Amino acid sequence: GDRGDATRFRRFGVQLFNTWGVGSAKHDNGVLFLFLSEARRLEIVTGKGMSSALPDQWVQRMMHSTMVPRFQANDHGAGLLAGATAIQERLLGHAHPQWRPDLGIAPEHSDGKVMLSATPQFHGGQAPTATPEDSK
């Protein structure tokens, strides 16, 4: 059913987050956007260290108000960028002070601070074993 698919997609996102080692291992402060257009699924996985800066309720509201309308207009790139920008702006005001040097860029500049990567398939709920370095 739909609920089972959502749970499986979430599990896949968490596996991918852990496989790729998103964020700092020391602070567990990574953020992963997972979007599967064919299944109309969007998931944002955050490290446990982000729970105070990016509470689940805030992430859900941001996704529905900022990203979903752009996806519904079939502008997926704009939806992902708007979500990344909203998170970056939130982190500039709410991130732990130790992390701020890594976030000190304006949202309109993406000089390597935001990595957008695409994987073509959901792989039936199994995270691919590729690492970001494999795609270089």
Side-chain angles (χ1 to χ4, degrees):
D2 192 50
R3 185 75 175 132
D5 290 345
T7 301
R8 192 168 56 249
F9 190 63
R10 172 75 183 172
R11 237 187 351 253
F12 169 74
V14 170
Q15 282 182 314
L16 190 61
F17 182 93
N18 292 328
T19 298
W20 281 358
V22 178
S24 159
K26 179 180 177 183
H27 300 291
D28 195 11
N29 62 354
V31 177
L32 174 71
F33 286 71
L34 191 59
F35 173 61
L36 185 62
S37 61
E38 298 82 25
R40 299 178 61 184
R41 293 271 182 224
L42 172 64
E43 189 74 47
I44 296 178
V45 180
T46 60
K48 287 182 180 33
M50 291 298 237
S51 61
S52 63
L54 297 174
D56 289 342
Q57 189 175 25
W58 181 89
V59 171
Q60 291 298 319
R61 277 195 319 266
M62 183 280 298
M63 283 172 38
H64 290 286
S65 66
T66 304
M67 300 177 73
V68 169
R70 289 169 174 90
F71 291 158
Q72 288 172 335
N74 211 28
D75 196 349
H76 304 130
L80 291 168
L81 187 57
T85 299
I87 284 179
Q88 186 175 36
E89 288 172 354
R90 169 115 179 146
L91 291 177
L92 288 171
H94 292 85
H96 190 283
Q98 284 180 287
W99 307 345
R100 290 197 181 129
D102 293 335
L103 301 170
I105 60 167
E108 64 271 9
H109 297 96
S110 60
D111 60 352
K113 300 293 183 179
V114 175
M115 180 185 80
L116 294 179
S117 179
T119 184
Q121 298 176 355
F122 178 34
H123 299 289
Q126 298 300 311
T129 56
T131 62
E133 287 75 29
D134 292 342
S135 62
K136 289 183 180 175

